[in-house]
Amino acid sequence: MNKVALFGGTFDPVHRGHTACVQHLLEKMDFSEVVLIPAGKNPLKSEQPAAPAEDRLKMIHLAVSDFDGLIQIDDEEIKRDGPSYTYETLKRYLEKHDPAELYLVMGMDVFEELDQWKNYEKILEMTNILVVSRPPFRRPFGIEELPVGIQPLIHTYEKGFALLKSDRTIEFVRIDTDDVSSTQVRKKLKTGKNIDAMINMEVEKYIIEHEVYPRISPGQVDFVELTHFVADILKERAMNCAAYDLSGLDKLYDYTIVASATSTKQAQSLASRIKDAVKEEYGIAPFAEEGREEGKWVILDYGALIVHIFYDFVRQEYHLEQLWSDGKRLKI
Ligand code: ATP
């Protein structure tokens, strides 16, 4: 029987979570065809894809080459300019094809926003929906856990299966995928970490050969970005956080951040948190670190950026910020 799954996404890059999903559809759910639809611009995301459309398309071809003819790759969305609306894609698909059964496949994260999509009510008349699990799997217990705009369209809901008033269905299925996301893959690539478990080898080769995603080496750190990155961590957890741009002044460093902790213990744990986060995101460790044992005034020296974390009581003794009064206070 002609049972077709349309599976859209940014695929930036395509990863093992996506391919596990495709495999499950073909091997365990009797789909006769899966159509992968890489998106052009996502109307719901302010950030647009990191990789050019042609690269994303090529990576998808490489990732699914083992599935032979059971997969189609539809490049219409990325060929068209402007935002990619699923409603238009579905309409276009149904003008050309008439499958006996049609399903739109999406992860739970995407389903939760379905009632914000353009013409979602019409979409739910045109196709069935299959919501695949992203770990951890949890299907909604009742109608009230479904997106608010969708609730009035439901006729019955039981054990992960909704029958809609339009006679279409929404089904929640568990598939075995690791908790992989494209964002994680890009983050790891940035600092040269191993991604073998997350993406197909041919895709990895392509990414490296074509330098699809930026990688940073310690000498290439953007210190303005790093300053904001550290400030974001401190802003949420410490008190009186301030950052200064001192470039152009006669100092040994170009940027500095100062923040207060409520105890020496908190100063120590903030320093550890920053070190771990910077290592994870930028792959670098401070050249020097002072005061962590005591926790009264911890200094992390990243070369062009110096981070000061004070036990607040001690900060008041030093009036450090007077040293930087000629610099530019950054908006953080
Ligand atoms: P991001 O890092 O931006 O969240 P992503 O990994 O979700 O990216 P997309 O291309 O946006 O990748 O996802 C396309 C579709 O695949 C979405 O419906 C998404 O929910 C689903 N999906 C992504 N990763 C997994 C996974 N590990 N398991 C199951 N479904 C997934």
Side-chain angles (χ1 to χ4, degrees), residues 7-11 15 17-18 45 106-107 109-110 132-134 175 177-178 180-183:
F7 187 27
T10 319
F11 303 113
H15 54 66
H18 299 132
K45 284 190 185 171
M106 62 191 72
D109 54 318
V110 173
V132 294
S133 59
R134 284 187 86 140
I175 54 166
T177 62
D178 292 328
V180 185
S181 75
S182 299
T183 309

Side-chain angles (χ1 to χ4, degrees), residues 221-234 241-245 254-257 278 282 304-307 330 332:
V221 172
D222 175 339
F223 279 95
V224 179
E225 192 192 300
L226 178 62
T227 302
H228 283 279
F229 179 78
V230 174
D232 282 345
I233 297 172
L234 287 171
C241 182
Y244 296 86
D245 177 349
D254 291 337
Y255 302 94
T256 193
I257 302 180
V278 171
Y282 294 89
L305 167 68
I306 309 284
V307 183
L330 293 170
I332 53 169

Side-chain angles (χ1 to χ4, degrees), residues 47-83:
E47 259 175 55
Q48 293 309 322
E54 314 83 69
D55 284 328
R56 289 186 287 125
L57 197 57
K58 285 204 180 113
M59 292 188 283
I60 295 174
H61 277 282
L62 291 170
V64 300
S65 60
D66 291 346
F67 294 101
D68 296 332
L70 299 171
I71 301 214
Q72 300 296 324
I73 299 165
D74 182 330
D75 60 0
E76 285 281 326
E77 280 197 9
I78 58 177
K79 277 204 277 185
R80 273 183 299 157
D81 220 10

Side-chain angles (χ1 to χ4, degrees), residues 21 27 50 100 107 118 126 146 186 196 201 203 229 234 237 239 246-247 254 263 270 293 297 331:
C21 180
E27 291 175 5
K118 181 180 167 190
M126 295 156 93
L146 302 176
R186 292 197 306 272
D196 293 355
M201 260 174 50
V203 176
F229 179 78
L234 287 171
R237 299 169 179 87
M239 297 183 299
L246 309 171
S247 53
D254 291 337
S263 64
L270 283 169
E293 277 87 59
W297 176 1
K331 262 202 194 139

Side-chain angles (χ1 to χ4, degrees), residues 22-40:
V22 169
Q23 190 167 3
H24 186 97
L25 298 172
L26 292 171
E27 291 175 5
K28 305 238 166 81
M29 296 192 73
D30 307 323
F31 276 92
S32 48
E33 188 178 317
V34 176
V35 185
L36 293 175
I37 312 176

Side-chain angles (χ1 to χ4, degrees), residues 13 16 180 184-190 192-201 203-205 207-208 213:
R16 290 195 195 275
V180 185
Q184 283 169 5
V185 173
R186 292 197 306 272
K187 261 192 175 177
K188 294 216 171 212
L189 277 165
K190 202 168 170 182
K193 294 219 181 77
N194 189 307
I195 47 162
D196 293 355
M198 302 172 104
I199 65 173
N200 169 294
M201 260 174 50
V203 176
E204 185 173 347
K205 255 199 237 156
I207 290 175
I208 291 165
Y213 297 104

